[in-house]
Amino acid sequence: MLEIEGLTKRYGATLALDDCTFSVAPKRLIGLLGPNGAGKTTLMRCLLGLVVPDGGTIRWSGGPLGEDRGRNFGYMPEERGLYPTMRVDEQVRYFAMLSGMAPAAAGRATADVVRRVGAGDLSGRRVEELSHGNQQRIQLAVALVHNPEILVLDEPFAGLDPLGVDQFGALLLDLAADGTTVLFSSHQLDLVQDLCQDIVTINHGRVVLAGELEQLQRATARRRITVVFAAAARRNWTAALDGVTVEKAEDRHVRLSLDAGGDLDRVLHAARTAGPVLRFDYQPPSLEELFREAVGR
């Protein structure tokens, strides 16, 4: 278990982290969310020991992180951290030795991890010759070569095409299934919703939403309703319904949000009196809706 408690960091007059507290369970995919400038990168750098917090504690497996935390963590920065003219195998082996591996062990680990990320046929090529997606694979191989328990990724999907996103996402799911805790930041909320079991949302340096995504969706009072009619429905059929907000209304398609004061049975009855109903979907809010609500508070 990774536990962050009361983490605070100030840069002059700017409070980058303000009493951040949350925990990360092992073998999970965790999405780290927040607007630009919210404090996500500062938080990741504190986890890695690249930035010293002004206050708070970081614990792993019940104990404090020491100076050798690099052996527990793998890090993939948003900006490239690779040497463009080095061959892939030389590059990954070099970073393996920087983590403390002996040359022979580093060579074996390099071969294994390059295959694991699906880049075995790229070992002899220079990084500058690779596509953006394949460079991402090599950057991930560098972060994984020392077999870390926690993988921290800063915007790993930035710039990838849809196929690259699918492949990279599947790889992260496999890593989590094999025992690695994966924490990654992203502005692609639909992608985070598809991949992650847990989320942490930061705004102005504070944690405003954290926990298992499904539990957070169940806990909110607001729900979304989509109604599809077989023909054009009677207009203004929702006017007398309490706790209902019309988000979108067309002749046959209506999208509503239902708050804690709304009655689902009354909504369904009103829809049926407005016209023949083909579909009536009742869904929890999406991650994007949860995010907007949390950040807007």
Side-chain angles (χ1 to χ4, degrees), residues 2 4 43-49 58 65 69 73 152 183:
L2 177 65
I4 293 91
L43 173 61
M44 288 187 281
R45 289 174 176 171
C46 287
L47 294 178
L48 297 161
I58 304 172
L65 286 171
R69 73 179 71 192
F73 284 85
V152 179
L183 173 70

Side-chain angles (χ1 to χ4, degrees), residues 14-289:
T14 301
L15 188 58
L17 295 177
D18 184 8
D19 195 30
C20 285
T21 299
F22 64 94
S23 60
V24 172
K27 302 181 182 180
R28 307 275 284 185
L29 245 66
I30 304 96
L32 180 60
L33 311 177
N36 291 328
K40 302 186 298 298
T41 298
T42 298
L43 173 61
M44 288 187 281
R45 289 174 176 171
C46 287
L47 294 178
L48 297 161
L50 302 175
V51 168
V52 179
D54 298 324
T57 58
I58 304 172
R59 293 186 295 272
W60 173 249
S61 299
L65 286 171
E67 294 182 358
D68 62 345
R69 73 179 71 192
R71 297 183 181 181
N72 301 108
F73 284 85
Y75 178 49
M76 180 175 163
E78 182 178 6
E79 300 297 331
R80 284 288 172 272
L82 303 174
Y83 297 101
T85 60
M86 286 182 71
R87 285 183 4 209
V88 166
D89 54 351
E90 293 174 341
Q91 182 130 203
V92 178
R93 185 168 59 250
Y94 170 71
F95 280 99
M97 290 189 290
L98 283 182
S99 72
M101 288 186 180
R108 292 191 296 270
T110 294
D112 289 342
V113 76
V114 169
R115 283 196 299 270
R116 188 177 190 183
V117 301
D121 58 338
L122 305 175
S123 292
R125 297 180 62 183
R126 294 195 303 272
V127 170
E128 64 185 1
E129 298 173 342
L130 305 181
S131 67
H132 179 85
N134 282 330
Q135 288 185 26
Q136 291 283 73
R137 291 177 183 273
I138 306 309
Q139 188 81 66
L140 181 60
V142 165
L144 287 172
V145 69
H146 60 295
N147 196 29
E149 296 175 283
I150 311 170
L151 187 61
V152 179
L153 313 175
D154 194 354
E155 293 289 347
F157 297 94
L160 295 181
D161 61 32
L163 182 59
V165 168
D166 290 344
Q167 293 172 339
F168 211 86
L171 181 55
L172 296 186
L173 288 170
D174 288 343
L175 288 170
D178 290 343
T180 305
T181 298
V182 182
L183 173 70
F184 72 89
S185 70
S186 179
H187 291 295
Q188 298 169 259
L189 300 185
D190 55 341
L191 179 61
V192 174
Q193 179 166 313
D194 289 341
L195 290 177
C196 294
Q197 298 107 327
D198 306 320
I199 63 163
V200 177
T201 302
I202 300 177
N203 191 34
H204 298 300
R206 296 188 64 87
V207 175
V208 294
L209 192 68
E212 185 176 355
L213 178 56
E214 289 186 358
Q215 290 182 351
L216 294 171
Q217 289 175 312
R218 288 196 297 266
T220 184
R222 185 168 292 277
R223 294 291 187 271
R224 171 185 286 177
I225 300 171
T226 301
V227 185
V228 180
F229 294 94
R234 176 171 53 83
R235 293 183 177 276
N236 300 321
W237 60 272
T238 62
L241 297 173
D242 294 329
V244 173
T245 302
V246 179
E247 296 182 354
K248 181 180 179 180
E250 300 174 352
D251 286 344
R252 294 183 52 239
H253 295 76
V254 179
R255 188 172 67 208
L256 312 170
S257 63
L258 182 71
D259 64 23
D263 186 324
L264 183 63
D265 289 335
R266 287 194 65 198
V267 177
L268 178 58
H269 176 73
R272 284 174 168 166
T273 61
V277 176
L278 282 181
R279 197 178 84 208
F280 188 91
D281 292 338
Y282 180 58
Q283 300 171 339
S286 67
L287 176 56
E288 181 175 350
E289 291 169 323

